Amino acid sequence: MPILRVALDVPVNTLFDYLGPDTVVTEQDVGTRVRVPFGKHLMTGVIMEVATYSSIASPKLKPIAHIFRDVPPLPETLLDLFRFCSAYYHHPLGEVVMNGLPGRLRSSKPFVQQYRPILEYRLTGTGRAADPSVIPPRNIVKRRLLARLKETGSITIEEAKQLSQRAPGVLKEFASLWWVEERAEIESSAIAAANTSSPVPVLTPAQKNAVDEIVPTIKQFNTWLLHGVTGSGKTEVYLRLITLMLHQRRQTLVLVPEINLTPQLEAVFRARFPAIRLISLHSGLNPSERAGGWLQAQRGDAQIILGTRLAVFTPLPDLGLIIVDEEQDMSFKQQDGLRYSARDVAIFRARQTGVPVILGSATPSLETYYNAINGRYLRLQLPSRAVRNATLPLVRCIDTRIAKTEEGLSPPLISALETSLALNQQSLVFINRRGYAPVLLCRSCAWTAACQRCASRLVVHLREKKLRCHHCGHQERFPTNCPECGDQDIAPFGHGTQRVEEALSRRFPHARIMRIDRDSTRRKDAWQKMLEEIQGQRVDILIGTQILAKGHDFPNLSLVSVLNSDASLFSSDFRASERLFAQLMQVAGRAGRGGIPGQVLIQTEFPNHPLYQALCRHDYDSLAQTLLVERKLARFPPFIYQVLLWAEAPSIDLALAFLANAEGISAKPKHIEIFDPVPAQMPRLKGMERAYLLVQSSSRSKLQKFLGEWRTQLDALPDRKVRWALDVDPLEF
DNA sequence: AGCACGCCGACT
DNA sequence: GTCGGCGTGCTC
């Protein structure tokens, strides 16, 4: 009997051996889902290996309960991708595999697709390997059908009917054995391929250059950095390369950040390629839709796969190109479970498949930038805006030490808003703080309202008369007097979106003002409605947080102003500057996208700070160079490789004790630095206390080797009430 | 992760 | 004398 080595969703880094019925299971079944008895229950897993021998004592071995023949087996290349992730992120293989499957295929029930008329049957690998002598000699129809399939590879339902009246039934039977797969479309339907509908714009010289650079080596692995200022037309470069892929009948995987931006890009793609099967995999889909799209990708029917980080694990038999848009975006990194970076996994996948990967960004992460200037990645630049007459906005700082603010607004900003209003142009006020005020303060004893479960201040939401924790969602009533000293002189301190909205409505009573943050867009479709209002010119002043920074075109927007961004200049997080710059570049990029010249005003007490200076000059490179020098001196990434060991426990002492223990048992090899355990930046979160231990090395391979050994030791450590996890290439501390 | 096994404190 | 606490170890 064959031994099946099965990946299961359990936190132990091992496969589990089962007995497989030899008549049904072959080498071809690697990648097939199975139902197996595990402890008390049945679980769904994936066959990773078929072997003849098991090191497990035979009385322990159980037979599998069921083999799923509802979808094709996962291709070996995808299993290799899972193996890589498990090894690189030091995460159990079974969890990696099951995390990569759509939920619908993880469940106990077989996947039943919505009705699609079956037009064609195609022979599978299992079918090709099937021995015709197992068919009884008198079953002529079966024999003929199998012979025919082995000859031509596929058969349409019409052709089959001509062979025999009973052929469709026999094909169904073949399908249940996984000898053939059912297809709803006939192969040739892909021919409609690259006939485009929406007008194809003329490329700018820079865009043309980028395309011309990539095309000659489009069939080999390279990591390209497409470095283009906002509005420089990176999307058009993607579209040209995708067109090429469509002509070559190859699939393109497009990864986008985790924001409601997917529909927008989807619309652009659909307009350009109306006849092409595009699937988009994002959080808004129900499980069946997701599994359906995933399956279309696996069959090679979907030619463009657009999705968030999870989509990097989609099986793609004809993959020809990977695009990672806004590669610096933090949402490509998963922060729990398997802590993978979809951008980095995409690069591995491109190398594995031998296809190019394009990282697009206006403000690349320093890791990517460093790789581009040292030649590991190939850099292409789009230095100016693509729309005719659209230029980069004029960026200026307002020194609030001189121009004193009132209600958070300085006189020059007020007059700029007035001018915009008079010209009937839109303005955007960017402030990265939701709520009315970030702190509730007692003037008499300096008490501030804090969250009981998190180490954070409660944010004042005045309209709802509530105090809210933005980390865990906890809410409480607004107190009437100070719980410490009883004084009634408690007041909101600082400014959030709601307070700025209030101040602006007082200042500009006739202006149409709209606040856009997580609170105002919570309701379903609210954001879509608001976008329509903005695009229909029914709004004068927009006030909002980061959701306004990304991706949307506001053609009539001429003024962008930034409030209260100074805090990030002096953060203890060494990546804070990089992120602030990227965010401000993005929000500044909203101004002047149409024909109107744009203006950006930044209220700051540090107008001479190099970050703002670089921003005023639109000079990413000089800031990046400055930051790289700092990083090199401080021995931070990208000059060093980091790993965190996270621990979470009911008390910080337990977490720290576990980490000290972990540090103690480590082999402490040369070239590996292990730092002492420290509490996390947000030491208490949702009632749990968190700490971490930093491990770093200038050698990635030495670090990997160390982690492999350390992990085994950590597994053996008593983890009393402590949950722990390794975070390779961490972004947050 | 679940779940069983197992060894020490307050209960009908 | 038992019910149940959660510490430890296993699941093919």
Side-chain angles (χ1 to χ4, degrees):
Chain A
M1 270 206 204
I3 300 296
L4 307 183
R5 314 210 65 220
V6 177
L8 292 171
D9 194 5
V10 286
V12 272
N13 194 18
T14 176
L15 298 175
F16 292 87
D17 292 1
Y18 288 88
L19 297 168
D22 49 2
T23 49
V24 186
V25 180
T26 70
E27 203 58 49
Q28 300 285 334
D29 288 305
V30 167
T32 299
R33 279 144 55 247
V34 286
R35 211 69 194 134
V36 292
F38 187 76
K40 271 210 130 187
H41 299 281
L42 286 173
M43 283 186 100
T44 303
V46 173
I47 303 174
M48 298 299 286
E49 291 162 30
V50 177
T52 51
Y53 165 82
S54 171
S55 55
I56 301 296
S58 50
K60 274 189 173 182
L61 289 176
K62 297 178 186 172
I64 56 162
H66 179 67
I67 307 179
F68 288 105
R69 302 292 192 189
D70 52 348
V71 307
L74 305 177
E76 188 62 42
T77 49
L78 184 64
L79 300 183
D80 274 337
L81 188 67
F82 290 144
R83 290 186 190 107
F84 162 78
C85 287
S86 170
Y88 184 78
Y89 293 106
H90 298 272
H91 198 83
L93 180 57
E95 287 192 345
V96 175
V97 171
M98 296 317 275
N99 168 61
L101 292 188
R104 195 60 193 70
L105 298 181
R106 258 177 279 166
S107 73
S108 58
K109 282 170 282 168
F111 177 63
V112 189
Q113 292 178 65
Q114 319 91 304
Y115 174 74
R116 302 180 311 143
I118 293 146
L119 300 175
E120 189 186 58
Y121 286 85
R122 190 156 70 173
L123 194 66
T124 64
T126 316
R128 200 164 293 283
D131 181 3
S133 65
V134 302
I135 303 172
R138 290 181 55 200
N139 203 329
I140 308 280
V141 178
K142 270 194 193 177
R143 288 182 160 243
R144 277 202 194 144
L145 255 180
L146 185 59
R148 164 71 196 265
L149 280 163
K150 285 194 177 186
E151 194 184 312
T152 58
S154 68
I155 192 166
T156 66
I157 200 89
E158 294 306 320
E159 290 164 341
K161 272 183 192 155
Q162 280 176 13
L163 219 61
S164 158
Q165 198 59 250
R166 284 180 44 234
V170 174
L171 283 167
K172 282 266 175 237
E173 202 178 310
F174 283 2
S176 70
L177 290 165
W178 200 248
W179 285 5
V180 293
E181 67 187 307
E182 302 172 333
R183 299 170 63 84
E185 303 89 9
I186 293 170
E187 193 75 351
S188 60
S189 67
I191 281 163
N195 60 359
T196 61
S197 84
S198 71
V200 178
V202 178
L203 294 182
T204 64
Q207 285 173 326
K208 185 172 185 309
N209 175 62
V211 173
D212 290 348
E213 285 280 322
I214 297 171
V215 167
T217 57
I218 195 77
K219 290 192 173 167
Q220 66 196 54
F221 167 70
N222 270 315
T223 307
W224 298 90
L225 167 59
L226 183 61
H227 187 179
V229 298
T230 48
S232 62
K234 292 187 286 291
T235 308
E236 189 55 39
V237 175
Y238 303 156
L239 287 167
R240 295 301 173 100
L241 296 170
I242 294 170
T243 307
L244 183 62
M245 286 299 117
L246 295 174
H247 282 301
Q248 297 181 0
R249 307 274 212 92
R250 305 188 78 185
Q251 294 171 297
T252 307
L253 172 65
V254 184
L255 300 178
V256 293
E258 211 172 48
I259 36 166
N260 347 338
L261 215 67
T262 322
Q264 202 199 342
L265 204 55
E266 185 181 341
V268 172
F269 285 6
R270 285 206 194 278
R272 180 66 74 85
F273 309 118
I276 293 306
R277 259 180 303 281
L278 176 153
I279 57 150
S280 100
L281 299 168
H282 58 267
S283 53
L285 297 181
N286 71 42
S288 289
E289 286 172 326
R290 183 181 279 273
W294 189 90
L295 223 58
Q296 282 190 50
Q298 157 149 26
R299 283 194 305 260
D301 290 344
Q303 288 145 306
I304 301 172
I305 295 84
L306 177 64
T308 51
R309 62 169 181 262
L310 218 79
V312 80
F313 296 116
T314 313
L316 300 161
D318 307 317
L319 180 62
L321 172 69
I322 305 179
I323 294 166
V324 183
D325 194 29
E326 302 292 339
E327 67 84 25
Q328 84 292 350
D329 197 283
M330 298 247 299
S331 70
F332 286 122
K333 177 89 202 253
Q334 183 143 72
Q335 294 291 7
D336 51 63
L338 171 65
R339 295 171 180 243
Y340 68 103
S341 155
R343 181 242 283 149
D344 296 346
V345 175
I347 294 169
F348 175 83
R349 191 165 184 183
R351 182 197 302 276
Q352 174 200 40
T353 320
V355 303
V357 55
I358 297 171
L359 310 180
S361 181
T363 50
S365 64
L366 282 186
E367 282 80 357
T368 297
Y369 181 73
Y370 180 62
N371 280 323
I373 57 176
N374 72 20
R376 283 170 55 93
Y377 298 172
L378 302 167
R379 186 183 184 200
L380 299 165
Q381 301 200 63
L382 305 177
S384 55
R385 291 196 154 182
V387 176
R388 198 176 293 276
N389 298 327
T391 50
L392 289 171
L394 178 68
V395 182
R396 285 190 296 128
C397 288
I398 299 172
D399 188 341
T400 51
R401 291 167 307 180
I402 297 161
K404 294 280 183 219
T405 63
E406 204 173 305
E407 294 275 28
L409 306 166
S410 64
L413 174 54
I414 298 279
S415 63
L417 287 167
E418 268 164 5
T419 311
S420 269
L421 274 172
L423 292 170
N424 257 324
Q425 294 173 351
Q426 286 173 329
S427 306
L428 187 164
V429 178
F430 178 78
I431 173 165
N432 220 349
R433 265 184 196 155
R434 290 188 290 135
Y436 184 83
V439 188
L440 182 67
L441 176 77
C442 170
R443 305 288 181 114
S444 149
C445 75
W447 166 88
T448 55
C451 177
Q452 299 301 303
R453 303 177 68 213
C454 306
S456 65
R457 299 250 146 77
L458 291 173
V459 175
V460 181
H461 285 247
L462 203 60
R463 196 160 313 163
E464 298 91 328
K465 293 222 176 300
K466 289 259 165 65
L467 296 174
R468 254 193 220 146
C469 174
H470 285 185
H471 295 278
C472 71
H474 165 81
Q475 293 193 15
E476 55 189 70
R477 282 198 46 214
F478 202 101
T480 49
N481 42 17
C482 174
E484 267 315 291
C485 68
D487 201 293
Q488 298 215 341
D489 192 10
I490 50 172
F493 186 81
H495 294 84
T497 45
Q498 290 180 13
R499 191 170 195 174
V500 172
E501 179 187 22
E502 200 181 277
L504 284 169
S505 349
R506 262 201 307 273
R507 189 77 211 205
F508 302 107
H510 303 297
R512 295 163 299 179
I513 296 173
M514 180 184 275
R515 175 170 57 87
I516 299 147
D517 54 27
R518 201 136 35 105
D519 302 310
S520 69
T521 54
R522 204 184 302 273
R523 279 199 347 273
K524 226 184 167 178
D525 297 339
W527 180 215
Q528 208 51 46
K529 289 250 163 58
M530 290 164 118
L531 267 179
E532 283 163 28
E533 291 285 299
I534 301 165
Q535 251 125 29
Q537 316 295 334
R538 292 188 288 277
V539 183
D540 300 312
I541 302 176
L542 307 162
I543 302 156
T545 55
Q546 24 194 350
I547 36 178
L548 277 178
K550 297 215 172 149
H552 297 281
D553 269 1
F554 305 125
N556 197 36
L557 183 71
S558 61
L559 173 67
V560 167
S561 56
V562 177
L563 271 47
N564 268 325
S565 58
D566 286 346
S568 301
L569 294 176
F570 309 103
S571 164
S572 58
D573 179 351
F574 68 85
R575 273 185 246 261
S577 307
E578 178 187 344
R579 282 191 210 129
L580 175 64
F581 188 77
Q583 193 172 58
L584 294 184
M585 279 285 263
Q586 262 171 6
V587 69
R590 300 306 105 208
R593 287 204 136 205
I596 316 169
Q599 184 185 192
V600 180
L601 296 175
I602 297 165
Q603 287 195 164
T604 172
E605 291 184 34
F606 309 93
N608 295 319
H609 192 285
L611 191 147
Y612 293 136
Q613 289 297 309
L615 196 70
C616 292
R617 298 194 309 270
H618 302 278
D619 192 352
Y620 168 87
D621 283 84
S622 86
L623 183 76
Q625 298 285 356
T626 309
L627 292 177
L628 278 178
V629 170
E630 284 175 22
R631 297 264 185 108
K632 188 167 192 172
L633 284 171
R635 306 203 319 118
F636 280 140
F639 300 95
I640 203 114
Y641 302 103
Q642 297 185 321
V643 174
L644 297 184
L645 175 61
W646 282 103
E648 194 182 80
S651 87
I652 195 81
D653 291 341
L654 273 172
L656 289 169
F658 170 83
L659 294 173
N661 214 345
E663 187 185 356
I665 59 159
S666 69
K668 300 183 189 68
K670 264 202 154 71
H671 311 293
I672 306 283
E673 280 177 87
I674 306 179
F675 292 80
D676 286 334
V678 284
Q681 297 236 331
M682 182 62 59
R684 202 163 68 248
L685 197 68
K686 299 176 188 177
M688 288 295 245
E689 312 225 316
R690 311 178 320 140
Y692 67 85
L693 184 76
L694 171 63
V695 181
Q696 63 180 31
S697 172
S698 51
S699 159
R700 182 169 262 167
S701 58
K702 290 202 175 85
L703 185 58
Q704 280 292 330
K705 183 170 175 291
F706 165 75
L707 285 176
E709 293 155 10
W710 198 33
R711 218 219 113 95
T712 329
Q713 301 180 72
L714 291 175
D715 279 326
L717 220 56
D719 45 358
R720 304 144 51 75
K721 293 176 187 165
V722 179
R723 288 167 47 102
W724 61 270
L726 284 169
D727 188 352
V728 179
D729 307 325
L731 289 184
E732 278 179 321
F733 288 69

